[in-house]
Amino acid sequence: MSDSRPICDYEGSTYRIDFWGGGSREYEDRVERIALRRLLPPGGSRILEVGAGFGRLTGELAAFDQVVLVDYSRSMLREARERLGDDRRYLYVAADVYKLPFAPGAFDAATMIRVIHHLADPVAALKEIRRTMVPGATFVLEFASKRHIKAILRYWLGRQDWNPFSREPVEFAPLNFDFHPDYIKEALVKVGFKPIRRLTVSHFRHPLLKRLIPLRLLVWADSLAQLTGDWWQLTPSVFIASRAVNGDRPPDVIPEDVLFRCPECGGQLEREAEGLACVGCGRRWIIRDGIHDFKESA
Ligand SMILES: C[S@@+](CC[C@H](N)C(=O)[O-])C[C@H]1O[C@@H](n2cnc3c(N)ncnc32)[C@H](O)[C@@H]1O
């Protein structure tokens, strides 16, 4: 369903336990939450969380009336639903970021955290996200930066062949990319966003520092250092908030019954017994276990 674009598929993965379990990344989790809180608007009607995973950060979006969690992996969404519950404020949607099943201008905010580093065509994904956002909406993006202190030192010492200062993304492992901060800024502008603020995150991501310095102190120091993000970016993770520009803002929020669109043809969808049917191409999209499934038509 993603045409020729490869996807880093988390289906069935034990990401939550393997990556976030055991507490060794509590520092990263805490500083990411701080950055997200700083960049999100105080509230709104509907927010899109792209690549929501198991819903680690979804609680930070609680000030919105509705939160739409999108992920390519059904198993991640099932985990998110188990954690967050069947609250009507949450909509769980299995879909590909390159083909989002939503009407244009459906969201007044969006986030994409720890996802773009898996995308082989980041500009196409950003363009698709922009399409679903209303002019004036806020988009908070986290990306893995190639121009961080460790990469610079490794490069200068001859231990790394790629140049952390060059603009092009580096694929350091299959479907794992690091980006130059200027590349991301340019990509956002290209698709209709105006970058407004950057925060640098995880300044002290080093096993020794994490072992020697109390977590609270490390988090406090990072939260201060984040504020230099508009001046220089030398951390492995950068958060950037942008505003959707161009176009007219519709007077009203798009109602939920016309929120979804066919990801294949963009046609309107009509509710039927087991899900939604496209009035344009006739494809049927199932709702199963509380998850709207737009990965494959029935
Ligand atoms: C590293 S996890 C991050 C999850 C969450 N944002 C977090 O920070 O905990 C990346 C997530 O992106 C999802 N993903 C990767 N490629 C995707 C695509 N093309 N469309 C939608 N989701 C995708 C994966 O399934 C996975 O759940």
mmCIF file of all heavy atoms in Angstrom, residues 82-126:
data_model
loop_
_atom_site.group_PDB
_atom_site.id
_atom_site.type_symbol
_atom_site.label_atom_id
_atom_site.label_comp_id
_atom_site.label_asym_id
_atom_site.label_seq_id
_atom_site.Cartn_x
_atom_site.Cartn_y
_atom_site.Cartn_z
ATOM 1 N N GLU A 82 -4.664 -0.667 24.845
ATOM 2 C CA GLU A 82 -4.678 -1.331 26.157
ATOM 3 C C GLU A 82 -4.242 -0.365 27.257
ATOM 4 O O GLU A 82 -4.766 -0.365 28.355
ATOM 5 C CB GLU A 82 -3.732 -2.534 26.163
ATOM 6 C CG GLU A 82 -4.385 -3.804 25.662
ATOM 7 C CD GLU A 82 -3.346 -4.835 25.243
ATOM 8 O OE1 GLU A 82 -2.242 -4.856 25.822
ATOM 9 O OE2 GLU A 82 -3.641 -5.610 24.303
ATOM 10 N N ARG A 83 -3.258 0.485 26.931
ATOM 11 C CA ARG A 83 -2.736 1.418 27.942
ATOM 12 C C ARG A 83 -3.695 2.583 28.182
ATOM 13 O O ARG A 83 -3.901 3.009 29.309
ATOM 14 C CB ARG A 83 -1.378 1.994 27.511
ATOM 15 C CG ARG A 83 -0.289 0.958 27.393
ATOM 16 C CD ARG A 83 1.004 1.577 26.904
ATOM 17 N NE ARG A 83 1.657 2.355 27.931
ATOM 18 C CZ ARG A 83 1.949 3.629 27.828
ATOM 19 N NH1 ARG A 83 1.641 4.301 26.753
ATOM 20 N NH2 ARG A 83 2.555 4.265 28.806
ATOM 21 N N LEU A 84 -4.266 3.111 27.076
ATOM 22 C CA LEU A 84 -5.042 4.349 27.192
ATOM 23 C C LEU A 84 -6.534 4.111 27.368
ATOM 24 O O LEU A 84 -7.262 5.010 27.789
ATOM 25 C CB LEU A 84 -4.835 5.209 25.930
ATOM 26 C CG LEU A 84 -3.399 5.639 25.651
ATOM 27 C CD1 LEU A 84 -3.258 6.140 24.219
ATOM 28 C CD2 LEU A 84 -2.968 6.735 26.622
ATOM 29 N N GLY A 85 -6.983 2.913 26.978
ATOM 30 C CA GLY A 85 -8.392 2.593 27.158
ATOM 31 C C GLY A 85 -9.241 2.990 25.970
ATOM 32 O O GLY A 85 -8.766 3.536 24.981
ATOM 33 N N ASP A 86 -10.527 2.707 26.132
ATOM 34 C CA ASP A 86 -11.465 2.864 25.032
ATOM 35 C C ASP A 86 -12.129 4.239 25.059
ATOM 36 O O ASP A 86 -13.193 4.425 24.500
ATOM 37 C CB ASP A 86 -12.530 1.751 25.155
ATOM 38 C CG ASP A 86 -13.043 1.371 23.790
ATOM 39 O OD1 ASP A 86 -12.488 1.888 22.814
ATOM 40 O OD2 ASP A 86 -14.011 0.593 23.721
ATOM 41 N N ASP A 87 -11.481 5.184 25.692
ATOM 42 C CA ASP A 87 -11.976 6.557 25.801
ATOM 43 C C ASP A 87 -12.322 7.098 24.407
ATOM 44 O O ASP A 87 -11.519 6.993 23.484
ATOM 45 C CB ASP A 87 -10.818 7.374 26.423
ATOM 46 C CG ASP A 87 -11.244 8.770 26.819
ATOM 47 O OD1 ASP A 87 -12.099 9.326 26.131
ATOM 48 O OD2 ASP A 87 -10.701 9.274 27.814
ATOM 49 N N ARG A 88 -13.492 7.676 24.253
ATOM 50 C CA ARG A 88 -13.931 8.159 22.936
ATOM 51 C C ARG A 88 -13.065 9.316 22.409
ATOM 52 O O ARG A 88 -13.116 9.662 21.236
ATOM 53 C CB ARG A 88 -15.392 8.604 22.999
ATOM 54 C CG ARG A 88 -16.363 7.468 22.722
ATOM 55 C CD ARG A 88 -17.760 8.004 22.453
ATOM 56 N NE ARG A 88 -17.817 8.907 21.297
ATOM 57 C CZ ARG A 88 -17.829 8.506 20.029
ATOM 58 N NH1 ARG A 88 -17.801 7.223 19.750
ATOM 59 N NH2 ARG A 88 -17.892 9.383 19.048
ATOM 60 N N ARG A 89 -12.284 9.905 23.308
ATOM 61 C CA ARG A 89 -11.405 11.005 22.863
ATOM 62 C C ARG A 89 -10.255 10.491 21.994
ATOM 63 O O ARG A 89 -9.616 11.249 21.292
ATOM 64 C CB ARG A 89 -10.794 11.711 24.086
ATOM 65 C CG ARG A 89 -11.781 12.633 24.759
ATOM 66 C CD ARG A 89 -11.161 13.499 25.804
ATOM 67 N NE ARG A 89 -10.019 12.909 26.461
ATOM 68 C CZ ARG A 89 -8.824 13.495 26.556
ATOM 69 N NH1 ARG A 89 -8.614 14.657 26.016
ATOM 70 N NH2 ARG A 89 -7.855 12.911 27.222
ATOM 71 N N TYR A 90 -9.976 9.181 22.082
ATOM 72 C CA TYR A 90 -8.869 8.625 21.298
ATOM 73 C C TYR A 90 -9.396 7.852 20.097
ATOM 74 O O TYR A 90 -10.305 7.027 20.239
ATOM 75 C CB TYR A 90 -8.021 7.669 22.151
ATOM 76 C CG TYR A 90 -7.376 8.327 23.334
ATOM 77 C CD1 TYR A 90 -7.602 7.862 24.630
ATOM 78 C CD2 TYR A 90 -6.535 9.419 23.168
ATOM 79 C CE1 TYR A 90 -7.005 8.474 25.724
ATOM 80 C CE2 TYR A 90 -5.941 10.041 24.262
ATOM 81 C CZ TYR A 90 -6.188 9.564 25.527
ATOM 82 O OH TYR A 90 -5.605 10.176 26.602
ATOM 83 N N LEU A 91 -8.812 8.115 18.933
ATOM 84 C CA LEU A 91 -9.132 7.329 17.740
ATOM 85 C C LEU A 91 -7.858 6.621 17.324
ATOM 86 O O LEU A 91 -6.796 7.262 17.222
ATOM 87 C CB LEU A 91 -9.563 8.248 16.596
ATOM 88 C CG LEU A 91 -11.032 8.622 16.449
ATOM 89 C CD1 LEU A 91 -11.200 9.468 15.198
ATOM 90 C CD2 LEU A 91 -11.894 7.373 16.343
ATOM 91 N N TYR A 92 -7.960 5.320 17.088
ATOM 92 C CA TYR A 92 -6.787 4.520 16.727
ATOM 93 C C TYR A 92 -6.863 4.186 15.241
ATOM 94 O O TYR A 92 -7.858 3.605 14.790
ATOM 95 C CB TYR A 92 -6.753 3.243 17.568
ATOM 96 C CG TYR A 92 -6.719 3.527 19.060
ATOM 97 C CD1 TYR A 92 -7.897 3.594 19.802
ATOM 98 C CD2 TYR A 92 -5.509 3.747 19.710
ATOM 99 C CE1 TYR A 92 -7.872 3.869 21.165
ATOM 100 C CE2 TYR A 92 -5.483 4.022 21.075
ATOM 101 C CZ TYR A 92 -6.662 4.082 21.793
ATOM 102 O OH TYR A 92 -6.628 4.358 23.135
ATOM 103 N N VAL A 93 -5.808 4.550 14.500
ATOM 104 C CA VAL A 93 -5.861 4.420 13.046
ATOM 105 C C VAL A 93 -4.580 3.758 12.528
ATOM 106 O O VAL A 93 -3.475 4.299 12.691
ATOM 107 C CB VAL A 93 -6.020 5.819 12.389
ATOM 108 C CG1 VAL A 93 -6.049 5.702 10.879
ATOM 109 C CG2 VAL A 93 -7.277 6.513 12.899
ATOM 110 N N ALA A 94 -4.750 2.590 11.908
ATOM 111 C CA ALA A 94 -3.601 1.916 11.283
ATOM 112 C C ALA A 94 -3.487 2.440 9.854
ATOM 113 O O ALA A 94 -4.388 2.229 9.037
ATOM 114 C CB ALA A 94 -3.818 0.404 11.292
ATOM 115 N N ALA A 95 -2.398 3.154 9.572
ATOM 116 C CA ALA A 95 -2.240 3.754 8.240
ATOM 117 C C ALA A 95 -0.777 4.104 8.029
ATOM 118 O O ALA A 95 0.022 4.144 8.962
ATOM 119 C CB ALA A 95 -3.099 5.014 8.126
ATOM 120 N N ASP A 96 -0.493 4.388 6.761
ATOM 121 C CA ASP A 96 0.856 4.759 6.355
ATOM 122 C C ASP A 96 0.939 6.285 6.285
ATOM 123 O O ASP A 96 0.055 6.920 5.700
ATOM 124 C CB ASP A 96 1.088 4.127 4.969
ATOM 125 C CG ASP A 96 2.465 4.391 4.418
ATOM 126 O OD1 ASP A 96 3.280 5.035 5.107
ATOM 127 O OD2 ASP A 96 2.714 3.940 3.284
ATOM 128 N N VAL A 97 1.977 6.861 6.857
ATOM 129 C CA VAL A 97 2.098 8.324 6.868
ATOM 130 C C VAL A 97 2.098 8.919 5.458
ATOM 131 O O VAL A 97 1.688 10.053 5.261
ATOM 132 C CB VAL A 97 3.365 8.765 7.659
ATOM 133 C CG1 VAL A 97 4.630 8.280 6.990
ATOM 134 C CG2 VAL A 97 3.417 10.277 7.831
ATOM 135 N N TYR A 98 2.508 8.113 4.465
ATOM 136 C CA TYR A 98 2.530 8.646 3.098
ATOM 137 C C TYR A 98 1.133 8.732 2.490
ATOM 138 O O TYR A 98 0.949 9.342 1.439
ATOM 139 C CB TYR A 98 3.395 7.752 2.203
ATOM 140 C CG TYR A 98 4.846 7.683 2.623
ATOM 141 C CD1 TYR A 98 5.392 6.482 3.074
ATOM 142 C CD2 TYR A 98 5.679 8.799 2.544
ATOM 143 C CE1 TYR A 98 6.730 6.398 3.444
ATOM 144 C CE2 TYR A 98 7.013 8.723 2.915
ATOM 145 C CZ TYR A 98 7.532 7.510 3.361
ATOM 146 O OH TYR A 98 8.861 7.430 3.722
ATOM 147 N N LYS A 99 0.174 8.063 3.133
ATOM 148 C CA LYS A 99 -1.214 8.051 2.610
ATOM 149 C C LYS A 99 -2.159 8.169 3.791
ATOM 150 O O LYS A 99 -2.774 7.173 4.190
ATOM 151 C CB LYS A 99 -1.492 6.735 1.893
ATOM 152 C CG LYS A 99 -0.820 6.578 0.562
ATOM 153 C CD LYS A 99 -1.284 5.269 -0.030
ATOM 154 C CE LYS A 99 -0.622 5.006 -1.348
ATOM 155 N NZ LYS A 99 -1.056 3.735 -1.918
ATOM 156 N N LEU A 100 -2.271 9.329 4.342
ATOM 157 C CA LEU A 100 -3.104 9.480 5.537
ATOM 158 C C LEU A 100 -4.584 9.511 5.145
ATOM 159 O O LEU A 100 -4.959 10.215 4.199
ATOM 160 C CB LEU A 100 -2.705 10.755 6.283
ATOM 161 C CG LEU A 100 -1.316 10.713 6.926
ATOM 162 C CD1 LEU A 100 -0.917 12.082 7.467
ATOM 163 C CD2 LEU A 100 -1.250 9.673 8.047
ATOM 164 N N PRO A 101 -5.412 8.765 5.866
ATOM 165 C CA PRO A 101 -6.822 8.636 5.473
ATOM 166 C C PRO A 101 -7.709 9.739 6.058
ATOM 167 O O PRO A 101 -8.744 9.455 6.659
ATOM 168 C CB PRO A 101 -7.186 7.260 6.061
ATOM 169 C CG PRO A 101 -6.337 7.163 7.285
ATOM 170 C CD PRO A 101 -5.070 7.894 7.009
ATOM 171 N N PHE A 102 -7.276 10.991 5.896
ATOM 172 C CA PHE A 102 -8.027 12.090 6.509
ATOM 173 C C PHE A 102 -8.332 13.189 5.492
ATOM 174 O O PHE A 102 -7.571 13.412 4.541
ATOM 175 C CB PHE A 102 -7.231 12.701 7.666
ATOM 176 C CG PHE A 102 -6.810 11.701 8.700
ATOM 177 C CD1 PHE A 102 -5.470 11.386 8.881
ATOM 178 C CD2 PHE A 102 -7.758 11.056 9.485
ATOM 179 C CE1 PHE A 102 -5.076 10.437 9.812
ATOM 180 C CE2 PHE A 102 -7.371 10.103 10.428
ATOM 181 C CZ PHE A 102 -6.031 9.802 10.589
ATOM 182 N N ALA A 103 -9.405 13.910 5.778
ATOM 183 C CA ALA A 103 -9.791 15.042 4.932
ATOM 184 C C ALA A 103 -8.760 16.159 5.078
ATOM 185 O O ALA A 103 -8.125 16.294 6.139
ATOM 186 C CB ALA A 103 -11.159 15.545 5.383
ATOM 187 N N PRO A 104 -8.587 16.985 4.049
ATOM 188 C CA PRO A 104 -7.667 18.119 4.175
ATOM 189 C C PRO A 104 -8.132 19.040 5.308
ATOM 190 O O PRO A 104 -9.328 19.232 5.511
ATOM 191 C CB PRO A 104 -7.794 18.836 2.817
ATOM 192 C CG PRO A 104 -8.404 17.843 1.888
ATOM 193 C CD PRO A 104 -9.225 16.902 2.722
ATOM 194 N N GLY A 105 -7.178 19.575 6.047
ATOM 195 C CA GLY A 105 -7.503 20.542 7.108
ATOM 196 C C GLY A 105 -8.217 19.938 8.305
ATOM 197 O O GLY A 105 -8.918 20.630 9.038
ATOM 198 N N ALA A 106 -8.036 18.626 8.555
ATOM 199 C CA ALA A 106 -8.778 17.963 9.637
ATOM 200 C C ALA A 106 -8.203 18.251 11.033
ATOM 201 O O ALA A 106 -8.897 18.071 12.028
ATOM 202 C CB ALA A 106 -8.788 16.459 9.397
ATOM 203 N N PHE A 107 -6.943 18.698 11.094
ATOM 204 C CA PHE A 107 -6.275 18.798 12.406
ATOM 205 C C PHE A 107 -5.801 20.219 12.691
ATOM 206 O O PHE A 107 -5.309 20.904 11.794
ATOM 207 C CB PHE A 107 -5.075 17.845 12.451
ATOM 208 C CG PHE A 107 -5.476 16.410 12.292
ATOM 209 C CD1 PHE A 107 -5.414 15.787 11.053
ATOM 210 C CD2 PHE A 107 -5.949 15.686 13.377
ATOM 211 C CE1 PHE A 107 -5.815 14.466 10.894
ATOM 212 C CE2 PHE A 107 -6.358 14.357 13.228
ATOM 213 C CZ PHE A 107 -6.284 13.751 11.984
ATOM 214 N N ASP A 108 -5.912 20.601 13.954
ATOM 215 C CA ASP A 108 -5.351 21.916 14.305
ATOM 216 C C ASP A 108 -4.013 21.782 15.032
ATOM 217 O O ASP A 108 -3.447 22.771 15.496
ATOM 218 C CB ASP A 108 -6.346 22.808 15.045
ATOM 219 C CG ASP A 108 -6.893 22.200 16.311
ATOM 220 O OD1 ASP A 108 -6.480 21.085 16.665
ATOM 221 O OD2 ASP A 108 -7.729 22.856 16.951
ATOM 222 N N ALA A 109 -3.502 20.557 15.102
ATOM 223 C CA ALA A 109 -2.135 20.329 15.586
ATOM 224 C C ALA A 109 -1.712 18.917 15.195
ATOM 225 O O ALA A 109 -2.564 18.064 14.911
ATOM 226 C CB ALA A 109 -2.056 20.497 17.111
ATOM 227 N N ALA A 110 -0.402 18.699 15.177
ATOM 228 C CA ALA A 110 0.116 17.354 14.895
ATOM 229 C C ALA A 110 1.492 17.214 15.538
ATOM 230 O O ALA A 110 2.201 18.209 15.749
ATOM 231 C CB ALA A 110 0.219 17.119 13.387
ATOM 232 N N THR A 111 1.829 15.958 15.861
ATOM 233 C CA THR A 111 3.183 15.680 16.349
ATOM 234 C C THR A 111 3.729 14.469 15.586
ATOM 235 O O THR A 111 2.960 13.606 15.138
ATOM 236 C CB THR A 111 3.212 15.323 17.860
ATOM 237 O OG1 THR A 111 2.530 14.086 18.064
ATOM 238 C CG2 THR A 111 2.575 16.397 18.719
ATOM 239 N N MET A 112 5.041 14.434 15.459
ATOM 240 C CA MET A 112 5.693 13.220 14.931
ATOM 241 C C MET A 112 7.050 13.114 15.643
ATOM 242 O O MET A 112 7.990 13.847 15.357
ATOM 243 C CB MET A 112 5.867 13.297 13.410
ATOM 244 C CG MET A 112 6.436 12.001 12.851
ATOM 245 S SD MET A 112 6.134 11.746 11.095
ATOM 246 C CE MET A 112 7.309 12.843 10.348
ATOM 247 N N ILE A 113 7.099 12.223 16.616
ATOM 248 C CA ILE A 113 8.264 12.092 17.492
ATOM 249 C C ILE A 113 8.921 10.737 17.267
ATOM 250 O O ILE A 113 8.246 9.696 17.346
ATOM 251 C CB ILE A 113 7.849 12.194 18.997
ATOM 252 C CG1 ILE A 113 6.868 13.345 19.241
ATOM 253 C CG2 ILE A 113 9.092 12.283 19.900
ATOM 254 C CD1 ILE A 113 7.372 14.719 19.045
ATOM 255 N N ARG A 114 10.219 10.752 17.017
ATOM 256 C CA ARG A 114 10.992 9.508 16.832
ATOM 257 C C ARG A 114 10.441 8.658 15.679
ATOM 258 O O ARG A 114 10.382 7.429 15.779
ATOM 259 C CB ARG A 114 11.022 8.665 18.123
ATOM 260 C CG ARG A 114 11.916 9.239 19.200
ATOM 261 C CD ARG A 114 11.972 8.309 20.400
ATOM 262 N NE ARG A 114 12.873 8.815 21.420
ATOM 263 C CZ ARG A 114 14.141 8.400 21.573
ATOM 264 N NH1 ARG A 114 14.643 7.480 20.787
ATOM 265 N NH2 ARG A 114 14.880 8.909 22.537
ATOM 266 N N VAL A 115 10.025 9.292 14.613
ATOM 267 C CA VAL A 115 9.480 8.552 13.470
ATOM 268 C C VAL A 115 10.206 8.909 12.179
ATOM 269 O O VAL A 115 10.547 8.017 11.383
ATOM 270 C CB VAL A 115 7.967 8.838 13.303
ATOM 271 C CG1 VAL A 115 7.411 8.119 12.084
ATOM 272 C CG2 VAL A 115 7.195 8.432 14.551
ATOM 273 N N ILE A 116 10.499 10.188 11.972
ATOM 274 C CA ILE A 116 11.036 10.606 10.671
ATOM 275 C C ILE A 116 12.377 9.901 10.391
ATOM 276 O O ILE A 116 12.744 9.705 9.232
ATOM 277 C CB ILE A 116 11.141 12.148 10.563
ATOM 278 C CG1 ILE A 116 11.200 12.560 9.081
ATOM 279 C CG2 ILE A 116 12.289 12.714 11.371
ATOM 280 C CD1 ILE A 116 11.009 14.045 8.832
ATOM 281 N N HIS A 117 13.068 9.464 11.433
ATOM 282 C CA HIS A 117 14.350 8.775 11.200
ATOM 283 C C HIS A 117 14.149 7.418 10.534
ATOM 284 O O HIS A 117 15.117 6.795 10.099
ATOM 285 C CB HIS A 117 15.168 8.654 12.499
ATOM 286 C CG HIS A 117 14.585 7.725 13.511
ATOM 287 N ND1 HIS A 117 13.582 8.101 14.360
ATOM 288 C CD2 HIS A 117 14.869 6.441 13.818
ATOM 289 C CE1 HIS A 117 13.263 7.083 15.143
ATOM 290 N NE2 HIS A 117 14.031 6.059 14.839
ATOM 291 N N HIS A 118 12.878 6.962 10.454
ATOM 292 C CA HIS A 118 12.597 5.702 9.752
ATOM 293 C C HIS A 118 12.077 5.932 8.334
ATOM 294 O O HIS A 118 11.710 4.962 7.665
ATOM 295 C CB HIS A 118 11.549 4.890 10.511
ATOM 296 C CG HIS A 118 12.049 4.278 11.782
ATOM 297 N ND1 HIS A 118 13.292 3.686 11.877
ATOM 298 C CD2 HIS A 118 11.481 4.145 13.009
ATOM 299 C CE1 HIS A 118 13.456 3.218 13.102
ATOM 300 N NE2 HIS A 118 12.386 3.492 13.805
ATOM 301 N N LEU A 119 11.990 7.173 7.885
ATOM 302 C CA LEU A 119 11.319 7.460 6.618
ATOM 303 C C LEU A 119 12.309 7.722 5.486
ATOM 304 O O LEU A 119 13.122 8.651 5.560
ATOM 305 C CB LEU A 119 10.372 8.646 6.775
ATOM 306 C CG LEU A 119 9.285 8.474 7.856
ATOM 307 C CD1 LEU A 119 8.385 9.704 7.904
ATOM 308 C CD2 LEU A 119 8.454 7.211 7.634
ATOM 309 N N ALA A 120 12.184 6.920 4.435
ATOM 310 C CA ALA A 120 13.087 7.062 3.285
ATOM 311 C C ALA A 120 12.737 8.287 2.448
ATOM 312 O O ALA A 120 13.578 8.801 1.723
ATOM 313 C CB ALA A 120 13.007 5.801 2.426
ATOM 314 N N ASP A 121 11.486 8.765 2.541
ATOM 315 C CA ASP A 121 11.066 9.937 1.775
ATOM 316 C C ASP A 121 10.429 10.951 2.732
ATOM 317 O O ASP A 121 9.194 11.122 2.761
ATOM 318 C CB ASP A 121 10.066 9.508 0.686
ATOM 319 C CG ASP A 121 9.827 10.616 -0.332
ATOM 320 O OD1 ASP A 121 10.194 11.780 -0.061
ATOM 321 O OD2 ASP A 121 9.260 10.307 -1.396
ATOM 322 N N PRO A 122 11.263 11.611 3.534
ATOM 323 C CA PRO A 122 10.704 12.491 4.572
ATOM 324 C C PRO A 122 9.890 13.656 4.006
ATOM 325 O O PRO A 122 8.886 14.050 4.599
ATOM 326 C CB PRO A 122 11.940 13.009 5.321
ATOM 327 C CG PRO A 122 13.113 12.716 4.458
ATOM 328 C CD PRO A 122 12.741 11.562 3.590
ATOM 329 N N VAL A 123 10.273 14.157 2.836
ATOM 330 C CA VAL A 123 9.555 15.315 2.281
ATOM 331 C C VAL A 123 8.116 14.907 1.909
ATOM 332 O O VAL A 123 7.155 15.623 2.189
ATOM 333 C CB VAL A 123 10.304 15.920 1.070
ATOM 334 C CG1 VAL A 123 9.509 17.055 0.446
ATOM 335 C CG2 VAL A 123 11.682 16.413 1.502
ATOM 336 N N ALA A 124 7.970 13.716 1.304
ATOM 337 C CA ALA A 124 6.625 13.244 0.944
ATOM 338 C C ALA A 124 5.768 13.075 2.201
ATOM 339 O O ALA A 124 4.579 13.418 2.202
ATOM 340 C CB ALA A 124 6.727 11.919 0.186
ATOM 341 N N ALA A 125 6.355 12.564 3.266
ATOM 342 C CA ALA A 125 5.595 12.374 4.508
ATOM 343 C C ALA A 125 5.178 13.725 5.098
ATOM 344 O O ALA A 125 4.028 13.907 5.509
ATOM 345 C CB ALA A 125 6.424 11.579 5.504
ATOM 346 N N LEU A 126 6.103 14.675 5.111
ATOM 347 C CA LEU A 126 5.780 15.999 5.670
ATOM 348 C C LEU A 126 4.686 16.683 4.848
ATOM 349 O O LEU A 126 3.804 17.341 5.387
ATOM 350 C CB LEU A 126 7.037 16.889 5.710
ATOM 351 C CG LEU A 126 8.144 16.430 6.663
ATOM 352 C CD1 LEU A 126 9.373 17.319 6.528
ATOM 353 C CD2 LEU A 126 7.658 16.433 8.114
#
